[in-house]
Amino acid sequence: AAATTETLSAEGGGGDERSLEEKVRDAMKKYGLDPDAPPAAGEGAADDDDGDAAGAEMNTDNCEGGVCEIPQQQQDEVKVEAAEKIMEPQTEEDINAMADRITAELDVDRQIVLAALGATATGEGEQRRVDETLARELILAERDAIRGVTEDCDEVKQLVSEGHDALLSRRALAFTDMNVDDARAILVADEE
């Protein structure tokens, strides 16, 4: 610990004279962790009575410079679990819950969220899946485009006076570079 302190001071570590262990303990406390609590199962090696690291599950034969190779079987198991999760079909309830969550988190109209989720859908029936990450990207891009069209501009006022929703009018105008005729065509098509 003393060598660590001297090294940090010599390298211009900001004059902090604490040891690395003290810094780690302080960081753990800052994030609400108990530095004196034993690690949970699988979170590092516990010391045995002789002071040697137990590490019974860790194969240290494949370690170099403090980096250990993960056994191939364990890597394969993780890949299979991830693939199964990705391929798992989503029910209408799952998709509606996702839409509600995204609507609240991104503070956007639910219609926009459902349109984006629908645009990312793959498969049919029981194999239908939506890509939440891609949908979020689409929603954010759309939200930014809509923000560029103010509610009080003449084009929005004209479409609203024709009975169209203000938000959907702004959206259609954003997609058509403020072309009222094209925006009207989009709004009419969406209504059908």
Side-chain angles (χ1 to χ4, degrees), residues 49-60:
D49 293 338
D50 298 332
D52 297 330
E57 295 180 20
M58 177 72 72
N59 181 357
T60 57

Side-chain angles (χ1 to χ4, degrees), residues 69-133:
E69 185 177 317
I70 298 174
Q72 186 63 41
Q73 180 182 359
Q74 188 177 357
Q75 289 179 17
D76 292 343
E77 289 170 4
V78 169
K79 288 177 185 175
V80 168
E81 287 176 23
E84 287 173 352
K85 180 74 174 161
I86 289 170
M87 299 310 295
E88 190 176 288
Q90 297 164 320
T91 65
E92 286 299 316
E93 287 178 356
D94 295 336
I95 294 171
N96 282 322
M98 185 185 305
D100 292 340
R101 189 179 68 250
I102 294 171
T103 297
E105 289 174 7
L106 299 181
D107 190 29
V108 293
D109 188 88
R110 191 168 197 277
Q111 290 176 298
I112 293 172
V113 173
L114 289 172
L117 288 171
T120 67
T122 57
E124 293 186 25
E126 292 185 19
Q127 297 303 316
R128 185 170 186 219
R129 296 214 27 89
V130 295
D131 184 336
E132 182 175 354
T133 303

Side-chain angles (χ1 to χ4, degrees), residues 10-21:
E11 293 176 357
D16 193 348
E17 297 296 323
R18 297 176 298 155
S19 70
L20 179 59
E21 183 178 349

Side-chain angles (χ1 to χ4, degrees), residues 1-190:
T4 304
T5 303
E6 292 170 12
T7 304
L8 289 174
S9 297
E11 293 176 357
D16 193 348
E17 297 296 323
R18 297 176 298 155
S19 70
L20 179 59
E21 183 178 349
E22 292 169 324
K23 290 178 183 180
V24 169
R25 290 178 65 78
D26 289 345
M28 289 177 73
K29 288 177 186 175
K30 178 180 177 182
Y31 291 105
L33 301 172
D34 180 4
D36 298 319
E43 284 189 12
D47 290 341
D48 63 15
D49 293 338
D50 298 332
D52 297 330
E57 295 180 20
M58 177 72 72
N59 181 357
T60 57
D61 295 339
N62 295 329
C63 296
E64 185 175 321
V67 177
C68 299
E69 185 177 317
I70 298 174
Q72 186 63 41
Q73 180 182 359
Q74 188 177 357
Q75 289 179 17
D76 292 343
E77 289 170 4
V78 169
K79 288 177 185 175
V80 168
E81 287 176 23
E84 287 173 352
K85 180 74 174 161
I86 289 170
M87 299 310 295
E88 190 176 288
Q90 297 164 320
T91 65
E92 286 299 316
E93 287 178 356
D94 295 336
I95 294 171
N96 282 322
M98 185 185 305
D100 292 340
R101 189 179 68 250
I102 294 171
T103 297
E105 289 174 7
L106 299 181
D107 190 29
V108 293
D109 188 88
R110 191 168 197 277
Q111 290 176 298
I112 293 172
V113 173
L114 289 172
L117 288 171
T120 67
T122 57
E124 293 186 25
E126 292 185 19
Q127 297 303 316
R128 185 170 186 219
R129 296 214 27 89
V130 295
D131 184 336
E132 182 175 354
T133 303
L134 180 56
R136 284 177 179 270
E137 290 176 20
L138 292 170
I139 292 163
L140 293 174
E142 191 169 325
R143 182 180 69 181
D144 292 344
I146 292 170
R147 285 182 177 166
V149 180
T150 61
E151 287 186 42
D152 62 348
C153 73
D154 292 335
E155 294 88 344
V156 172
K157 288 179 182 178
Q158 180 179 345
L159 292 170
V160 169
S161 72
E162 296 172 10
H164 300 290
D165 178 76
L167 174 67
L168 297 178
S169 297
R170 291 173 59 208
R171 178 180 184 232
L173 286 164
F175 287 152
T176 61
D177 294 325
M178 302 299 287
N179 183 309
V180 175
D181 292 331
D182 290 345
R184 185 181 299 110
I186 290 172
L187 292 167
V188 169
D190 283 346

